[in-house]
Each structure stands twice: as structure tokens, then as C-alpha cells.
């Protein structure tokens, strides 16, 4: 149980006048004497929320209560960083307090304290509380499926057009799976069906609720939120569809009303699995390590919906480790490599798209396998989710977490086959600089490559010829306006991987080394 959640604190009857919390407020895991006093404090449908961030909005506070039922009133005390929230029923308030006893409530990535008020209802001066009442009216209209009156100066909300939402994930630096979406959206109602797919190199989903009002509540609360810290941003719209037709239950689509559906044939070979980070034929499990549902918290603003570390989330999505996320190795094992072609340098270049590779060792007795050590567990998880199942040098590469914590260097003179290389001092690391834009441009392998640092005077024909010489076919090319950057599209993802390995850091003369990375765009 988290110590950040204060529950059932009874204070003096002048609570609403003083707006000050007692210095003796108890958290849910207080001492025995405090627990006894907790039991004496009666539940109320009015909740007192403390330690809110400075710039918090009414909508963000209301969103804390939305998953649990109708929110009927709100009073913001911005100077005190506090608020009072009134729910439609006492049962809804009890459910909310119980839930946030197990899961630390967060607003803008800041833990907040929620407790019962000793008032049974919230009486507010509507003249002084006008903005909050306007927001509340808009939210109430969504919950009732009606439209608020326009004379209150609030946005008109039409009745929800569909129970189906279209969800796009922006900045998807870590894998998001169907199970993650189900956990997040089920807080707002019954999720019946989900279909995930990739369009224009972007992970998208269609998600159907049992009721259009639930879909509108979810859209109101979640649109623009991050699933993990500073990434995986939800963009939510209503779909034109009103019903989804799901044929298979697997890691790409699910009909929760029909558990009897087949898993489908050949699903595990689909290329999109590299984007989802799910290994062939394995569904990510969220029941281990305390369960995903007990880890979710709806945090607002610049924070994340889930307080999980991104590394743990990526690992869980890849089905490799429990959700604890601690002690995740930065070492990967790549297997089923083409031993005639693979070199430490080629693996350094390919895995270096997702993180800074420190060392590479091709195994002496099994030259189709290699250990790759990245800077940390986050980078290793990301590289694994992007590269597992990709075709490299004509063979489907398998990437898993290694049990090793580091890659050992051979003693001097013993590595006569040059199977091990230390890249820790390499000038080619993409992510050494904190806050580098490169962190925002990590994408899974795609047929389209992004080229930068192109030398003046180098034209489209020169670059087409250069990339054709790597053994591929150039399908399309487009210069950016300044002609220092360009997009080039190969005929397959495998050809693009080969071209990146061959031509990243290619010397174009005049101290210009070509930079190559995977793009989410198409030409």
C-alpha cells in the first residue's frame, strides 16, 4: 500500500471556511491509533484533494473522479493547492478512495493526497466558482450524453457519435500493446473490442466501448495524455465506424465478448510485431509483478498515465520480464545471424539506432549469435522491441535479453578473429548528449530512411546511385528544403536495414559523414 494516500481523515466542522489540512492528517498505513481513528471517520461523497500542482486545471481534477462515476460539484482552492470534489453517490466516492489507496493518484506527474471530507455535500458560490462550474457542466453533459447550454461560455459537446474510438500513438519510443490499451481505457467503461494496426509507420488502434458515453468520457480524459513519461502520447478521435468486426483473438485484435474466436494463422510472422515489441506467438502478460491494473494511475499534463518506468513497460510489452523493471540488463543476445556476413561493426551500427552500443561480442563457438551491450536497460528494451524478428543479411534475427550484465573483453592477444569490439569511446554514439533531438527520432525499421548531413553539391542522382550500390532498389526520393536532409525509400525493410548498416557515417568528402536513420514518414 502506498503511503501517499490519506484516507478518511475527519477534521473540524469549519473545514470549508479554513481550507487548511490538519497537521495530523494520517495516511492509510499510519500507526494503530491512527487506524482506529480512520475507522471512525465516515465516508462521504465529498472528497478533499491536497498537494495539487500550481497550474492544475479544473478538468484535470475532475478527471481523477470520472472513472468512478458522475462528478456533481467541484471547488478549487488554487492558493492552497487543494480542491474539493463531490461525486454523485457515496458508493462512487468509496470506490475512488479504495482505488487510490492501492494506486497513488497523480496529477501532472505529482502525487496528490485524497481523503474523505466531513461534509456530506459541497455548497459553492456559483459567482465565485464560475469557471469550475462551466467545466463541470461540460463534463456532466458528456456523462449524461446531452449537450450543455451555450450561454455558460463552455464548448458545445454534441452527443457522442460512436462507441468506437480511433487511437493514434505519437512519439512511440516504447512499445504499446493491445493489453496496455485495454487496461487504460477500461477505467471508463466496458471495452468490448480492440483492433491494432500500423498505418503510415504509426501504431494505431480502434477500440469499441459498450456505450458511446463511455467513449466520450475516455476521449475527454485521455486525449493528449502520455502513457509513459514524456512519450507514447494518445491522440483520440471518434471513428466513423459504429461496430468492429474482429475475426481473431491474438496480440493484434481482440473481441472480449467472444473468447472462442481462433488466434488466426500466420499472425506471428507479421512484420508489425516488431513495432509492438511482442515476440512471435507470445501474448504479453500483465498479471505478474503485482499486475498492471494495480500500477495504472491517470496522471495529467506533462506526466504519464502509468508510473511504471519505461524500461519495465517495454519489457512487459515484449513479454520478457515481470513488471518490476528493476535490475534489467543492458545486454542483448542476438541469434540466427548470418555468420558469413555479420561483424561487430555492423551490429554496432544497427543496434546504435536505438541506443549507444558499448560492446559487441560474436560468440566464438556459435558465430550465428552475438552479445550486444547498450548504455542501459531502457535502450536494450527499445532495441529488442524494434529489432526482434527483422531480416538482416537474409536471415530473421532473434533478439532477447541476456542473463549477462556486461560483455567481458578478451585478454590482450586472445581475440585473433576480432570477434569482440569495445565501442565505449566511439564518436558515433547518437544519444550521448542529454536532451538530444535524436531521442525524439527513434523509429522501428522501415523501408524509408532519413538522411542528414548531406554535403553541398550532392544531388538526388548521387544519392540514388550510392544507395543502389548497397544492393537495393530505390523506389522514391525527396529532398528537404535546405537539401541537407532527405528521405529515401527502398523496396523493402530488409534493403533499408542493409543500406543503413552500409552507409551510416559514409564519408562524403569535405569532413561530411552521412547520417542515416529509420523514418516514420513515407514518400
Amino acid at each position: 500500500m502506498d503511503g501517499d494516500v490519506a484516507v478518511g481523515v475527519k477534521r473540524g466542522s469549519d473545514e470549508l471556511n479554513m481550507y487548511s489540512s490538519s497537521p495530523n492528517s494520517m495516511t492509510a498505513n499510519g500507526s494503530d491509533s491512527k487506524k482506529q481513528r480512520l475507522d471512525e471517520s465516515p465516508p462521504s461523497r465529498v472528497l478533499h484533494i491536497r498537494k495539487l500542482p500550481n497550474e492544475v486545471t479544473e478538468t484535470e481534477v475532475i478527471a481523477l473522479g470520472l472513472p468512478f462515476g458522475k462528478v456533481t460539484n467541484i471547488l478549487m482552492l488554487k492558493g492552497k493547492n487543494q480542491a474539493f470534489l463531490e461525486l454523485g453517490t457515496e458508493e462512487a466516492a468509496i470506490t475512488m478512495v479504495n482505488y487510490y489507496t492501492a494506486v497513488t493518484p497523480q496529477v501532472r506527474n505529482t502525487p496528490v493526497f485524497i481523503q474523505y471530507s466531513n461534509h456530506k455535500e459541497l455548497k459553492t458560490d456559483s459567482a465565485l466558482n464560475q469557471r469550475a462550474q462551466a467545466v463541470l457542466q461540460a463534463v456532466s453533459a458528456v456523462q449524461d450524453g446531452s449537450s450543455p447550454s451555450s450561454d455558460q461560455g463552455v464548448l458545445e459537446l454534441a452527443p457522442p457519435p460512436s462507441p468506437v474510438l480511433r487511437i493514434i500513438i505519437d512519439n512511440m519510443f516504447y512499445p504499446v500493446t493491445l493489453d496496455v490499451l485495454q487496461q487504460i481505457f477500461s477505467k471508463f467503461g466496458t471495452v468490448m473490442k480492440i483492433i491494432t494496426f500500423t498505418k503510415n509507420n504509426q501504431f494505431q488502434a480502434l477500440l469499441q466501448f459498450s456505450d458511446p458515453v463511455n467513449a466520450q468520457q475516455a476521449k475527454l480524459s485521455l486525449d493528449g495524455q502520455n502513457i509513459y513519461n514524456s512519450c507514447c502520447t494518445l491522440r483520440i478521435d471518434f471513428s466513423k465506424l459504429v461496430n468492429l468486426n474482429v475475426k481473431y483473438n491474438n496480440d493484434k485484435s481482440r473481441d472480449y465478448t467472444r473468447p472462442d474466436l481462433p488466434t488466426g494463422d500466420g499472425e506471428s510472422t507479421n512484420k508489425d510485431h516488431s513495432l509492438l515489441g511482442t515476440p512471435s506467438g507470445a501474448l504479453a502478460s500483465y498479471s505478474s509483478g503485482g499486475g498492471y491494473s494495480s500500477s495504472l494511475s491517470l496522471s495529467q499534463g506533462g506526466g504519464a498515465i502509468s508510473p511504471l518506468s519505461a524500461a519495465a513497460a517495454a519489457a512487459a510489452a515484449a513479454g520478457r520480464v515481470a513488471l518490476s523493471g528493476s535490475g534489467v540488463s543492458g545486454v542483448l543476445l542476438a541469434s540466427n545471424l548470418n555468420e558469413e556476413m555479420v561483424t561487430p561493426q555492423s551490429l554496432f551500427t544497427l543496434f546504435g539506432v536505438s541506443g549507444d552500443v558499448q560492446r559487441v561480442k560474436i560468440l566464438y563457438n556459435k558465430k550465428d549469435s552475438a552479445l550486444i551491450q547498450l548504455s542501459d536497460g531502457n535502450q536494450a528494451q527499445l532495441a529488442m522491441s524494434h529489432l526482434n524478428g527483422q531480416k538482416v543479411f537474409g536471415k530473421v534475427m532473434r533478439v532477447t535479453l541476456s542473463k549477462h550484465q556486461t560483455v567481458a573483453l578478451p585478454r590482450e592477444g586472445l581475440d585473433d578473429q576480432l570477434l569482440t569490439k569495445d565501442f565505449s569511446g566511439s564518436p558515433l554514439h547518437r544519444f550521448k548528449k542529454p536532451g538530444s533531438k535524436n531521442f525524439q527520432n527513434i523509429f522501428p525499421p522501415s523501408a524509408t530512411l532519413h538522411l542528414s548531413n548531406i554535403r553541398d553539391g550532392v544531388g538526388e542522382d548521387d544519392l540514388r546511385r550510392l544507395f543502389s550500390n548497397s544492393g537495393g532498389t530505390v523506389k522514391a526520393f525527396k529532398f528537404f528544403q535546405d537539401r541537407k536532409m532527405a528521405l529515401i525509400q527502398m523496396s523493402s525493410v530488409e534493403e533499408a536495414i542493409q543500406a543503413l548498416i552500409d552507409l551510416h557515417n559514409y564519408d562524403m568528402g569535405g569532413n561530411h559523414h552521412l547520417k542515416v536513420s529509420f523514418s516514420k514518414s513515407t514518400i
Side-chain angles (χ1 to χ4, degrees), residues 170-219:
D170 282 343
N171 302 321
M172 195 167 117
F173 304 157
Y174 299 98
V176 175
T177 65
L178 181 149
D179 298 81
V180 170
L181 293 175
Q182 194 272 339
Q183 290 286 351
I184 293 168
F185 282 83
S186 62
K187 299 284 178 267
F188 297 88
T190 304
V191 175
M192 297 177 72
K193 303 170 186 178
I194 305 177
I195 296 172
T196 63
F197 55 96
T198 303
K199 186 176 180 183
N200 297 332
N201 255 357
Q202 231 173 1
F203 178 64
Q204 302 190 23
L206 293 168
L207 184 146
Q208 181 176 338
F209 279 101
S210 57
D211 189 321
V213 172
N214 299 140
Q216 196 155 16
Q217 288 176 7
K219 181 179 183 298

Side-chain angles (χ1 to χ4, degrees), residues 296-314:
L296 278 173
S297 71
L298 297 172
S299 99
Q300 311 296 321
I305 291 167
S306 167
L308 297 171
S309 75

Side-chain angles (χ1 to χ4, degrees), residues 10 88 105 174 291 293 327 397 404 436 487:
K10 186 175 174 75
Y174 299 98
S293 59
M397 178 173 67
H404 296 282
S436 164
L487 294 176

Side-chain angles (χ1 to χ4, degrees), residues 92-106:
I94 292 169
T95 304
M96 179 172 167
V97 168
N98 288 345
Y99 175 76
Y100 287 131
T101 301
V103 179
T104 305
Q106 296 199 5

Side-chain angles (χ1 to χ4, degrees), residues 40 98-99 124 127 166 250 416 460 492:
E40 293 168 3
N98 288 345
Y99 175 76
T124 54
R166 185 185 65 142
N250 52 39
D416 55 353
E460 178 177 338
S492 69

Side-chain angles (χ1 to χ4, degrees), residues 381-413:
Q381 304 287 1
L382 188 57
M384 177 176 71
S385 69
H386 283 181
L387 296 175
N388 180 42
Q390 295 291 347
K391 214 168 185 183
V392 182
F393 298 126
K395 297 183 74 174
V396 176
M397 178 173 67
R398 296 290 166 217
V399 183
T400 59
L401 287 173
S402 168
K403 62 185 178 185
H404 296 282
Q405 294 300 310
T406 58
V407 171
L409 294 174
R411 280 177 290 179
E412 204 171 328

Side-chain angles (χ1 to χ4, degrees), residues 278-351:
T278 310
S280 303
L283 291 179
S285 168
Y286 291 87
S287 59
S288 57
Y292 204 97
S293 59
S294 67
S295 299
L296 278 173
S297 71
L298 297 172
S299 99
Q300 311 296 321
I305 291 167
S306 167
L308 297 171
S309 75
R320 295 291 179 189
V321 297
L323 276 172
S324 64
S326 58
V328 175
S329 166
V331 180
L332 298 173
L333 173 65
S335 56
N336 200 41
L337 302 171
N338 183 333
E339 56 186 272
E340 303 297 322
M341 305 279 289
V342 73
T343 62
Q345 183 66 47
S346 64
L347 293 173
F348 167 78
T349 303
L350 179 57
F351 281 77

